[in-house]
Amino acid sequence: MSASRRVSTQPSWTSRLALDHVRAIAATLAQLRDRPLSTLLTAFVIGITLALPAGLNTLLRNLDTASGGLQGTLRASLFLKDAVDAAAGADLARQISKRSGVSEARYLSREQALAEFKAHSGFGEALDILKDNPLPAVIVVTPDPRQPQAEVDALFKTLTTLPEVETTKLDRQWLQRLYAILQLVERSVLLVSGLLALAVLVVIGNTIRLDIESRREEIVVLKLIGASNAFIRRPFLYTGLWYGLAGAVLACLLVASAGVFLSDSAQQLAGLYGAQAQLSGLSSDAVLAVFGAALLLGWLGAFWTVSRHLSAIEPD
Amino acid sequence: MSGIIEFDNVSHRYPGGQDILTDVSFTLKRGELAFLTGPSGAGKSTFLKLAALLVRPTRGKITVDGRPLSEIRRGQIPAYRRQFGMIFQNFNLLQDRTVFDNVAMPLLIRGHSGEDIGRRVRASLDAVGLRGKERAYPITLSGGEQQRVGIARAVVAKPMLLLADEPTGNLDPHMAGEVMQLFMRFNEVGVSVLVATHALALIHRLPHRILRLDGGHLSERDEAPSVDTADEAFDDEPPFDDGEDAA
């Protein structure tokens, strides 16, 4: 009680308030400690309820990062007609790279294409058997990633109609589908998060309601001796905060352990797509959000319940 | 000089019921101790509840310490109640708290510091003869001791007024006598006291005003009423010893 040392017989308004809060904190923590099982159970329910949206969000973010990596590789390959020689091809690439919405256009001559293919495909020696180089010259066009979808589409359409271009190949329809799915999942996560937040509110509210019921006698006595509503309300609000806090800690632990548990499988999956994806856990933003939401929900749940039930308890 | 409690033609009726109090006018002077008697259901409790703002009168005006209670809004009631101490028939102690914690409650809600609380609670327990019982739980105490804890709680914040509702109703005559003795001792140091009781035998020899409520009407009686009107008086003569611990 170091705070009390400064307070004289006539406590000032601020030190009284500070003392009230310190006492409410100490009293509520002691109460929760005195019934560890029910406290832990409530915290677990809240923790699991919060872990679901937090975990889904982390998963979504990982998918987003992974697909973002794929978007970086989104390119169109313009296969040139054999009649276009190296100089004209390089010239065309320069012209294309100057177009708006194009971040890079690289010309690969037939020889370069062959060299690249040999280096990456592992069929290098097999290709040596062939007399002629079967590969066409190609211009690899990388669109500006900031470009909106529609303009990228329009750009590729124009490039396809160029007279030097034999055919184009752009690998993006599946990516568009992936984005659509991701968007749907993102919305669903938001919806589920809202519902689960409501669940946390109800769980905390109900726990506080039982708490109020079990301390009805004390509340009556406090009202009789003139305790202010704020004084009576305070410990319940802190209890709500503690449940939220404990729930947030458990939620973060749950998501972190899930991340560890899943990381091997995720790496394996990423490996199948040729990506080097590291499963990232909860970001610091997400941790902050979980704690912020949990504390807010704890306080709100308690406040909501206390305002509904406290006025009903009057001495008679 | 105005009284500390003034009832001016106060009537009260509970919803759907008949009048509990009818046109009651009464003044408790500052520093006075008065007893409010009458049979059960005569309105003694209602009288005290009106003064404590547990209920509002149907008609009439109540003034406490110069302030009309009709001016006190709902949110101001807690601050109003902190002006006086209340004592109850069933003690209203919290059984899961020690004697010390029970008595400390009025100081806690006023935000007193820890050492201040310790000092005042000990002084208050001392005054009711319960020194050394701080760590005990109410359940381990006799009824008389529990009521004295209740009194210690009522006086710990040094209120100007004590309101007691049947404080001896659950006590045997010996303990009841001790409790009444305590009220007189606090009254001697200037606290105004209003005690609702039907223990006429305990009070009829005391040099204090005795009011009688019957059928909702208040009548004032002389200081030495005859015992034959006492409805539920004790037969035993209350032993007014010095309030020493009987248990």
Side-chain angles (χ1 to χ4, degrees):
Chain A
M1 282 258 182
S2 60
S4 63
R5 211 153 279 282
R6 281 178 271 116
V7 186
S8 65
T9 29
Q10 282 298 42
S12 76
W13 182 81
T14 44
S15 62
R16 251 178 47 194
L17 197 66
L19 198 56
D20 277 352
H21 279 273
V22 169
R23 280 177 177 148
I25 289 169
T28 46
L29 287 178
Q31 272 165 21
L32 294 178
R33 192 197 54 211
D34 285 349
R35 33 166 221 255
L37 194 68
S38 70
T39 302
L40 214 61
L41 278 177
T42 307
F44 248 108
V45 172
I46 297 164
I48 290 168
T49 316
L50 286 169
L52 275 167
L56 283 174
N57 198 276
T58 307
L59 188 69
L60 203 62
R61 212 166 34 78
N62 274 298
L63 282 175
D64 218 33
T65 317
S67 68
L70 292 172
Q71 188 181 36
T73 65
L74 169 66
R75 288 179 300 203
S77 300
L78 311 180
F79 298 102
L80 303 182
K81 292 175 178 158
D82 285 347
V84 181
D85 65 14
D91 206 41
L92 182 64
R94 264 193 300 281
Q95 279 172 34
I96 290 174
S97 70
K98 282 183 193 129
R99 283 173 182 259
S100 71
V102 177
S103 79
E104 196 194 5
R106 195 159 54 94
Y107 173 75
L108 288 177
S109 66
R110 298 183 57 187
E111 291 71 30
Q112 285 170 312
L114 183 66
E116 198 164 271
F117 185 75
K118 275 185 176 174
H120 290 295
S121 66
F123 294 115
E125 273 148 37
L127 279 174
D128 285 342
I129 303 168
L130 296 171
K131 273 191 278 157
D132 293 324
N133 177 3
L135 299 175
V138 65
I139 295 176
V140 180
V141 179
T142 312
D144 188 340
R146 287 160 301 182
Q147 199 80 340
Q149 203 73 39
E151 290 195 24
V152 176
D153 283 341
L155 172 72
F156 283 152
K157 206 163 272 174
T158 352
L159 292 178
T160 313
T161 58
L162 286 173
E164 294 91 339
V165 174
E166 173 82 63
T167 174
T168 59
K169 189 173 142 261
L170 42 121
D171 229 7
R172 52 190 318 237
Q173 219 167 32
W174 72 273
L175 202 62
Q176 273 171 333
R177 285 192 192 126
L178 178 66
Y179 277 131
I181 291 170
L182 277 182
Q183 201 168 32
L184 185 71
V185 172
E186 206 166 331
R187 292 256 170 110
S188 315
V189 168
L190 210 64
L191 200 71
V192 168
S193 301
L195 287 174
L196 290 175
L198 208 64
V200 170
L201 212 61
V202 170
V203 168
I204 290 181
N206 196 48
T207 309
I208 300 286
R209 185 181 62 79
L210 293 174
D211 202 16
I212 291 175
E213 252 350 282
S214 72
R215 292 167 64 193
R216 170 178 281 273
E217 198 190 3
E218 180 186 344
I219 293 167
V220 166
V221 171
L222 281 171
K223 286 199 171 186
L224 279 174
I225 65 173
S228 66
N229 284 333
F231 184 93
I232 299 173
R233 205 188 296 130
R234 199 170 292 127
F236 295 108
L237 298 185
Y238 270 112
T239 305
L241 275 182
W242 302 146
Y243 280 133
L245 192 65
V249 171
L250 282 171
C252 288
L253 285 178
L254 283 170
V255 174
S257 357
V260 171
F261 182 67
L262 294 178
S263 74
D264 278 356
S265 328
Q267 234 152 4
Q268 209 171 356
L269 181 70
L272 289 178
Y273 279 89
Q276 186 57 48
Q278 188 71 43
L279 195 69
S280 66
L282 275 172
S283 66
S284 54
D285 277 1
V287 171
L288 271 179
V290 168
F291 274 84
L295 288 172
L296 185 72
L297 288 172
W299 189 87
L300 271 180
F303 189 82
W304 169 57
T305 311
V306 166
S307 7
R308 275 191 329 149
H309 288 91
L310 221 50
S311 57
I313 302 178
E314 280 291 339
D316 51 22
Chain B
M1 186 176 141
S2 66
I4 189 147
I5 302 179
E6 288 179 25
F7 274 51
D8 187 10
N9 285 311
V10 171
S11 298
H12 186 74
R13 110 176 23 200
Y14 289 102
Q18 55 184 18
D19 278 8
I20 296 283
L21 296 176
T22 312
D23 287 333
V24 169
S25 292
F26 158 80
T27 299
L28 183 73
K29 296 193 277 289
R30 282 173 201 275
E32 186 186 9
L33 188 161
F35 293 105
L36 189 62
T37 67
S40 302
K44 301 192 296 291
S45 287
T46 302
F47 192 99
L48 290 181
K49 281 179 190 168
L50 285 166
L53 266 183
L54 287 165
V55 289
R56 302 258 187 192
T58 315
R59 282 192 311 278
K61 183 181 174 190
I62 303 170
T63 311
V64 173
D65 198 24
R67 189 176 181 197
L69 297 194
S70 56
E71 286 178 3
I72 296 177
R73 282 178 282 111
R74 200 178 152 84
Q76 299 169 321
I77 290 177
Y80 168 70
R81 287 195 190 135
R82 290 198 288 272
Q83 290 181 285
F84 53 84
M86 282 191 91
I87 292 129
F88 312 91
Q89 177 169 8
N90 61 357
F91 320 135
N92 267 335
L93 300 178
L94 297 179
Q95 300 297 334
D96 60 341
R97 312 274 174 101
T98 61
V99 167
F100 183 97
D101 288 345
N102 268 287
V103 176
M105 281 175 81
L107 300 175
L108 272 179
I109 64 171
R110 286 168 173 81
H112 284 262
S113 72
E115 54 213 274
D116 193 35
I117 289 178
R119 195 155 36 80
R120 284 172 190 247
V121 168
R122 278 187 291 276
S124 188
L125 284 172
D126 223 13
V128 300
L130 286 179
R131 188 212 292 264
K133 297 275 187 187
E134 285 110 85
R135 295 285 138 227
Y137 283 86
I139 196 84
T140 65
L141 303 179
S142 70
E145 287 173 320
Q146 290 193 46
Q147 188 56 294
R148 282 189 275 154
V149 174
I151 295 171
R153 183 181 64 191
V155 300
V156 73
K158 300 208 184 320
M160 53 170 188
L161 172 67
L162 286 180
L163 299 174
D165 189 6
E166 295 285 5
T168 61
N170 288 348
L171 304 182
D172 67 41
H174 177 77
M175 289 173 171
E178 287 174 3
V179 164
M180 289 300 184
Q181 194 84 16
L182 274 176
F183 287 130
M184 290 194 289
R185 221 185 290 161
F186 285 113
N187 179 240
E188 279 164 22
V189 297
V191 182
S192 311
V193 186
L194 182 61
V195 181
T197 181
H198 60 243
L200 261 187
L202 269 177
I203 59 171
H204 73 275
R205 296 228 185 102
L206 304 178
H208 294 289
R209 195 147 62 111
I210 296 174
L211 300 131
R212 184 180 164 82
L213 262 177
D214 208 345
H217 295 277
L218 188 74
S219 56
E220 207 152 318
R221 297 166 29 146
D222 291 331
E223 284 175 8
S226 57
V227 183
D228 58 52
T229 51
D231 308 273
E232 293 130 305
F234 292 107
D235 292 323
D236 299 18
E237 190 67 18
F240 283 104
D241 59 12
D242 213 11
E244 277 305 307
D245 200 353

